[in-house]
Amino acid sequence: MIYLDNAATTKPCDEAVQAAAQAARLCFGNPSSLHRMGIQSEKLINEAKSVILKRLGLQGELFFTSGATESNNLALRGAAQAYKRRGNKIITTAMEHPSVARTMDELEKEGFEIVRLSPKDCLEDFEAYMADSVDERTIMVSCMAVNNENGFKTDSERLYKLVKQKNKDTVVHTDGVQGFCKTALKGDLISLSAHKVHGFKGIGALYKSDNVRILPLVFGGGQQKNIRPGTEPVELVASFAAAVKAYPCDLSHFDELKNHLCERLSRLEDVYINSIENKSVPNIVSFSAMGVRSEIMLHALEEKEIFVSSGSACSKGRISSVPDAFGLKADRADSTLRVSFCMENTIEDTDKLAEEIENGILRFRRSKRCRA
Ligand code: PMP
């Protein structure tokens, strides 16, 4: 089996599995309990926070959530509610994950002015282009650090600096899901998800810098400073931290894999790389094998035990806004495949993939011509 769909989700690493099992067996006290077992669980949670904050390289607070969908909702709605008296303009992009895009749609219905900017309109300096739109009414800027469908990277440190130069009170939210552990992240609010870094599904976090406020979405027993109440999932928290600790720092292997794959794909007729050169992370490669619809190729690869994605797994049949945000024509968008690596993938995996793409092209492009 060759698993090349790591942007959708990753296999939990042994460290994460062991940490969860150990916490379940030995550290099952409620972190709010006043006795020793509760205190032990609370300690575990605080240690996990330190591990994740250290990897982020930022000072501030961390709130555990059920995943980045919730983190994004909490960040956007929480900040919009907290700062609505200051203004009503929010700037975001046309390439965001649905958990940001749909939340923005809801905020728009509630009267916020949402400005959605497309990378295609200023690919050479998207950060400056975004910051240009910031004015005194802008309460928030939200931009993903790495796009989940094509790996496009926005420099969140630079964007943060430029936005604050325009308006120091504008809150910067970064969907850091695909960038965490892979690239530097900056923001007043940063959404994270464990299952993209070999942790479990169902646990994520929202980083918050000390200088911004957010209001909660749910109300309960006062846990996590009332920002995200509910008994903390100690086992999942332990596994999240263990996965982060185990995630390698030297990611040059991704460059090798990407370079090799792109070189192999460049030998095939009418196959185009969609990931933008020098502006994309090396672990996500989007390409189009023209004339073969994504789903057809995806299932042909699946027959050969190779697992990739057509664009994004999160869209669930919805038409993604990402191809259009990058100016991709319909025929190219229809044949888009996304390959996303983990450190266990090998050069041989990419060779096998390229071989099977070639076979898929021969099979389906030819049969299409016969039918015509
Ligand atoms: N943002 C991005 C960029 C993502 O790729 C994903 C997951 N596909 C999410 C948010 C949502 O994360 P979760 O699955 O943890 O809800």
Side-chain angles (χ1 to χ4, degrees):
M1 192 261 275
I2 299 177
Y3 184 76
L4 294 167
D5 201 14
N6 291 280
T9 198
T10 54
K11 178 180 161 195
C13 62
D14 290 344
E15 288 86 347
V17 173
Q18 272 159 25
Q22 196 172 344
R25 286 195 196 102
L26 304 173
C27 205
F28 59 87
N30 187 321
S32 299
S33 291
L34 296 179
H35 49 66
R36 204 169 62 235
M37 285 185 68
I39 291 165
Q40 197 189 349
S41 291
E42 193 188 11
K43 190 164 163 250
L44 185 150
I45 285 171
N46 288 335
E47 282 167 6
K49 280 184 185 169
S50 308
V51 168
I52 296 166
L53 285 171
K54 190 169 164 215
R55 187 75 189 227
L56 267 178
L58 297 173
Q59 310 244 313
E61 287 183 282
L62 209 64
F63 301 97
F64 289 108
T65 62
S66 62
T69 296
E70 187 190 332
S71 301
N72 282 337
N73 274 265
L74 177 59
L76 301 176
R77 298 199 76 91
Q81 290 309 324
Y83 293 107
K84 64 182 174 198
R85 281 202 195 87
R86 267 194 203 160
N88 78 334
K89 184 171 161 185
I90 300 175
I91 296 165
T92 186
T93 81
M95 63 168 167
E96 297 301 315
H97 184 267
S99 55
V100 168
R102 296 291 83 78
T103 306
M104 291 295 184
D105 294 346
E106 290 305 310
L107 290 171
E108 194 167 44
K109 285 183 205 158
E110 289 164 29
F112 289 93
E113 181 198 346
I114 311 293
V115 179
R116 299 171 181 86
L117 302 174
S118 286
K120 70 180 172 197
D121 293 329
C122 193
L123 265 180
E124 59 288 359
D125 197 347
F126 190 53
E127 294 84 357
Y129 181 61
M130 284 202 87
D132 256 3
S133 301
V134 174
D135 59 23
E136 70 285 351
R137 286 187 306 114
T138 308
I139 54 169
M140 184 159 43
V141 170
S142 174
C143 178
M144 64 192 344
V146 173
N147 181 267
N148 49 306
E149 293 189 35
N150 61 15
F152 181 74
K153 200 168 124 175
T154 308
D155 183 339
S156 61
E157 287 176 322
R158 184 155 176 273
L159 177 64
Y160 185 89
K161 208 173 93 194
L162 294 174
V163 168
K164 297 288 176 178
Q165 274 168 9
K166 283 291 288 284
N167 183 347
K168 66 175 177 25
D169 295 325
T170 300
V171 174
V172 178
H173 168 249
T174 303
D175 177 342
V177 170
Q178 299 288 349
F180 185 44
C181 292
K182 298 172 185 100
T183 184
L185 296 175
K186 181 81 179 153
D188 297 308
L189 299 165
I190 305 175
S191 304
L192 307 174
S193 181
H195 73 100
K196 311 286 182 176
V197 291
H198 300 285
F200 286 123
K201 297 159 195 71
I203 172 92
L206 180 65
Y207 161 83
K208 187 182 86 57
S209 66
D210 293 328
N211 54 326
V212 303
R213 275 186 311 117
I214 51 172
L215 297 180
L217 300 184
V218 293
F219 300 88
Q223 297 92 341
Q224 302 202 80
K225 300 188 177 170
N226 267 321
I227 293 295
R228 205 293 194 169
T231 304
E232 297 90 335
V234 185
E235 302 82 355
L236 294 176
V237 167
S239 64
F240 189 4
V244 169
K245 230 182 199 169
Y247 204 94
C249 292
D250 177 3
L251 304 180
S252 49
H253 184 53
F254 288 147
D255 292 296
E256 288 164 17
L257 294 171
K258 180 177 181 175
N259 291 341
H260 189 77
L261 177 63
C262 290
E263 195 278 318
R264 287 291 311 252
L265 293 176
S266 71
R267 294 186 214 162
L268 305 179
E269 202 185 323
D270 270 352
V271 174
Y272 302 109
I273 306 292
N274 301 320
S275 300
I276 292 154
E277 221 180 327
N278 301 325
K279 288 201 181 277
S280 303
V281 287
N283 56 305
I284 299 178
V285 184
S286 165
F287 60 92
S288 298
M290 303 299 286
V292 186
R293 286 181 68 90
S294 314
E295 281 76 11
I296 304 275
M297 187 68 93
L298 182 149
H299 292 302
L301 293 171
E302 183 189 9
E303 280 173 22
K304 304 287 174 187
E305 290 290 299
I306 301 174
F307 298 91
V308 302
S309 196
S310 59
S312 154
C314 310
S315 313
K316 285 244 172 198
R318 280 188 111 106
I319 303 211
S320 165
S321 64
V322 175
D324 187 54
F326 287 86
L328 230 60
K329 296 261 162 32
D331 56 345
R332 198 152 151 182
D334 284 349
S335 55
T336 296
L337 290 176
R338 178 188 70 184
V339 165
S340 45
F341 303 121
C342 70
M343 294 299 268
E344 280 177 14
N345 290 128
T346 61
I347 293 287
E348 289 71 37
D349 293 344
T350 62
D351 279 332
K352 182 84 182 126
L353 171 71
E355 257 168 50
E356 293 303 339
I357 296 278
E358 187 169 12
N359 288 337
I361 289 172
L362 287 172
R363 218 170 126 194
F364 296 109
R365 266 196 203 147
R366 197 190 299 134
S367 63
K368 198 181 163 202
R369 273 194 212 121
C370 288
R371 278 202 311 274

